[in-house]
Amino acid sequence: MTTATKSSTRKAWAKAIIPPATEFPPTQLPIISGKIPQGLRGTLYRNGSARLERGGVRVGHWFDGDGAILAVHFNTPQGIGGQGGSPLGKGGQGGSNATAVYRYVQTSGYLEESQADKFLYGNYGMTAPGPIWNQWLKPVKNAANTSVLALPDKLLALWEGGKPHALDWQTLETKGLDNLSGLSDNLPYSAHPKCDPKTGEIFNFGISPGVNSTLNLYKSDSTGKIIQTGRTIIEGLPVVHDFVLAGQYLVFFVPPVRVNLLSVLTGFYCYSDAMEWKPKLGTQVLIFDRETLSLVSRGETEPWFQWHFSNGYVDDSGSIVVEFVRYQDFTTNQRLKQVASGETNTVAEGTFWQVRINPETGKVIASQQLLDRACEFPIVQPSQVGQNSRYTYLSMHRKGADMGRELYGAIACFDHHTQTLTAADLGDNRYPTEPIYAPDAENSEKGWILTVVYDGNSDTSELWIFDSQALDSEPVCKLGLPRVIPLGFHGTWRAL
């Protein structure tokens, strides 16, 4: 933890990070420009670290902040989504048929620290304050700040070190921890589940730490109920944030980062500071059968690090194709640590890659860089998860940006068929969040890209809606948000 300070050298994005976020009740959103598409029917959810300071003390890492959820309900029947809802189809300048609500996830740690008005728990990038024995008496706080999973009757706020929190999907009222009818006391549920668009099955994982850790696999039905589990032992305690569904396989890349568990257990280091880059270990490739959740093959390839995958599929030759953002080392963790302070100087450039793998051996048989521009948060259409998808949407730096000090200022679409990139540069001091694809309810050939934008020029947040096939055109609609939404991590779309 660090004492909060001011700096005149900070970039504009810092104003969306430094102050704790302010909740707001269900509010009808004003239209700044354009018109909400008639076929945009459903809810956008976004999650992220919203409070990075208490009592003048800042957290140690961007991942430590308390989670808060933004919900924006579009074209919902009057009354759904809160006060001020408009009838279906109403739009135009001024008021809209979109209502938004923003609330902190009421975790037990958040409530306890709010009452004490100080940090009480350790987390990914900070040890518990106070005497050394607090490292054992105060468990790591479940911050519920990383992602969301929209289920038919609830919304889950996800954090990869513990159980999900269930929320009311309309009001965002926190209901409490949810074991999905299958998570025992110590089993975590990670922040990047994969939903098969054909079967409705949901796949996810969680790592139980140890000298040799356990990779727990989960298969759920479309309601989120866990119906099958599997487990595999992996060497040491690695950093595995995401995985990919590729046809009949689940694919994991285990990068050569290991937590020095003794340093954590003795209380002298937090998890982030105890992580060691060990390139000689290489990147481990684990391939599982999605039906049995059993290990099919295990391979090894050159060292790299990745946070996020775009997608995976099996090609006509039977090879697994995986697309992801690749870093040459683990410097990215230091950069993300600095974000929490409101000022960065570390360059950690991830670029978009594709690898092909023999599923029988786990051997990488080909790899290529698809884009040479720094990018992150790759996504595909939800209907294409696990299949060959033509388009990948990403966040990326603006051309000429100071990559050590700036955050992403553009979103883009990469066309795998034409190998072309179409980018939307948002302009000076404007910062988008991860692009989210929303299918059009009236035309299956159309879709919309939604991104919450922080405008550092006016110190406001807006929701921009783009035609998914025309990111280089002006947004079809811009909506004003009543409060600044901190730059966060992940979101999802829930269709009506």
Side-chain angles (χ1 to χ4, degrees):
M1 293 180 291
T2 58
T3 301
T5 59
K6 295 183 179 180
S7 172
S8 60
T9 63
R10 287 173 174 155
K11 291 293 186 178
W13 58 262
K15 293 182 290 183
I17 292 287
I18 295 299
T22 302
E23 296 179 319
F24 56 81
T27 304
Q28 187 175 12
L29 301 184
I31 292 179
I32 298 171
S33 65
K35 184 178 180 180
I36 297 174
Q38 180 71 22
L40 188 63
R41 299 175 189 166
T43 301
L44 169 71
Y45 297 103
R46 287 212 52 83
N47 195 356
S49 293
R51 173 178 279 275
L52 298 168
E53 176 270 333
R54 280 194 186 276
V57 176
R58 297 199 66 76
V59 298
H61 197 286
W62 196 12
F63 295 170
D64 296 336
D66 292 301
I69 310 291
L70 171 70
V72 183
H73 304 286
F74 289 94
N75 286 317
T76 54
Q78 191 166 8
I80 292 181
Q83 62 190 30
S86 300
L88 282 170
K90 185 178 179 181
Q93 200 71 23
S96 71
N97 52 359
T99 59
V101 58
Y102 186 61
R103 299 183 70 172
Y104 281 92
V105 184
Q106 304 292 298
T107 69
S108 59
Y110 172 80
L111 293 173
E112 190 176 347
E113 290 181 338
S114 294
Q115 185 173 8
D117 194 27
K118 62 181 180 180
F119 290 122
L120 301 173
Y121 292 91
N123 211 303
Y124 177 86
M126 53 196 285
T127 56
I132 189 67
W133 51 82
N134 274 358
Q135 310 313 315
W136 306 288
L137 297 178
K138 294 288 187 181
V140 172
K141 180 177 65 176
N142 183 333
N145 65 5
T146 311
S147 190
V148 284
L149 175 61
L151 297 173
D153 61 345
K154 58 191 170 186
L155 180 74
L156 298 182
L158 305 178
W159 178 77
E160 61 197 46
K163 291 186 179 66
H165 283 77
L167 285 71
D168 184 286
W169 71 268
Q170 296 180 52
T171 67
L172 302 185
E173 176 188 357
T174 302
K175 302 296 186 180
L177 290 170
D178 195 320
N179 67 11
L180 303 178
S181 301
L183 296 174
S184 64
D185 289 342
N186 297 319
L187 287 181
Y189 192 80
S190 195
H192 284 285
K194 299 294 183 283
C195 303
D196 188 305
K198 294 181 177 180
T199 67
E201 294 171 318
I202 303 169
F203 298 89
N204 203 358
F205 73 99
I207 292 183
S208 300
V211 176
N212 287 313
S213 301
T214 301
L215 176 63
N216 304 286
L217 302 179
Y218 313 118
K219 182 194 294 186
S220 300
D221 62 21
S222 60
T223 71
K225 179 181 179 181
I226 293 175
I227 57 176
Q228 188 177 350
T229 62
R231 60 176 54 188
T232 295
I233 300 299
I234 50 179
E235 181 183 354
L237 178 53
V239 178
V240 181
H241 180 69
D242 195 4
F243 74 110
V244 71
L245 170 64
Q248 65 265 40
Y249 302 108
L250 308 178
V251 182
F252 290 79
F253 293 162
V254 182
V257 176
R258 297 294 183 272
V259 177
N260 185 328
L261 201 55
L262 182 61
S263 297
V264 175
L265 294 176
T266 56
F268 291 107
Y269 291 94
C270 62
Y271 280 92
S272 177
D273 291 346
M275 292 173 179
E276 301 171 349
W277 175 250
K278 297 185 173 184
K280 291 183 179 180
L281 295 177
T283 296
Q284 306 298 311
V285 179
L286 304 180
I287 300 175
F288 295 87
D289 184 292
R290 61 173 285 169
E291 297 300 329
T292 64
L293 301 185
S294 59
L295 185 66
V296 174
S297 61
R298 186 191 299 255
E300 182 180 321
T301 187
E302 60 187 308
W304 68 63
F305 183 79
Q306 83 286 325
W307 292 112
H308 300 119
F309 294 90
S310 166
N311 199 21
Y313 62 94
V314 176
D315 67 13
D316 292 339
S317 71
S319 297
I320 297 173
V321 180
V322 176
E323 293 156 356
F324 63 106
V325 173
R326 169 175 164 169
Y327 297 84
Q328 65 179 5
D329 55 30
F330 197 47
T331 308
T332 172
N333 191 55
Q334 175 64 19
R335 174 173 172 79
L336 296 175
K337 176 180 179 178
Q338 292 174 349
V339 170
S341 72
E343 189 169 8
T344 61
N345 56 30
T346 299
V347 176
E349 183 176 340
T351 54
F352 193 42
W353 282 70
Q354 181 188 85
V355 300
R356 294 179 181 271
I357 307 167
N358 182 333
E360 296 179 356
T361 64
K363 181 179 179 180
V364 173
I365 54 181
S367 64
Q368 63 172 325
Q369 185 183 65
L370 299 178
L371 290 173
D372 61 1
R373 284 181 63 177
C375 59
E376 249 299 353
F377 301 120
I379 63 107
V380 298
Q381 300 177 29
S383 63
Q384 299 298 308
V385 170
Q387 308 163 54
N388 190 350
S389 180
R390 177 172 179 175
Y391 302 106
T392 297
Y393 301 91
L394 317 97
S395 299
M396 60 176 34
H397 278 296
R398 303 174 67 200
K399 287 186 176 180
D402 181 345
M403 290 190 293
R405 301 179 61 216
E406 279 287 17
L407 300 189
Y408 299 116
I411 59 172
C413 173
F414 179 69
D415 185 331
H416 291 266
H417 289 186
T418 64
Q419 298 289 294
T420 56
L421 182 74
T422 303
D425 185 324
L426 274 59
D428 292 342
N429 302 321
R430 294 193 182 101
Y431 304 93
T433 54
E434 168 197 53
I436 298 295
Y437 185 94
D440 190 276
E442 298 179 350
N443 183 350
S444 61
E445 300 299 316
K446 286 189 68 66
W448 312 98
I449 294 296
L450 283 65
T451 181
V452 176
V453 177
Y454 172 68
D455 189 339
N457 303 301
S458 58
D459 193 26
T460 58
S461 289
E462 301 170 359
L463 177 59
W464 291 18
I465 304 169
F466 290 86
D467 185 326
S468 66
Q469 297 300 307
L471 290 190
D472 52 351
S473 299
E474 284 294 309
V476 298
C477 186
K478 295 181 182 179
L479 298 169
L481 291 164
R483 297 285 188 273
V484 169
I485 305 299
L487 300 171
F489 303 127
H490 300 291
T492 194
W493 174 258
R494 181 186 191 273
L496 283 180

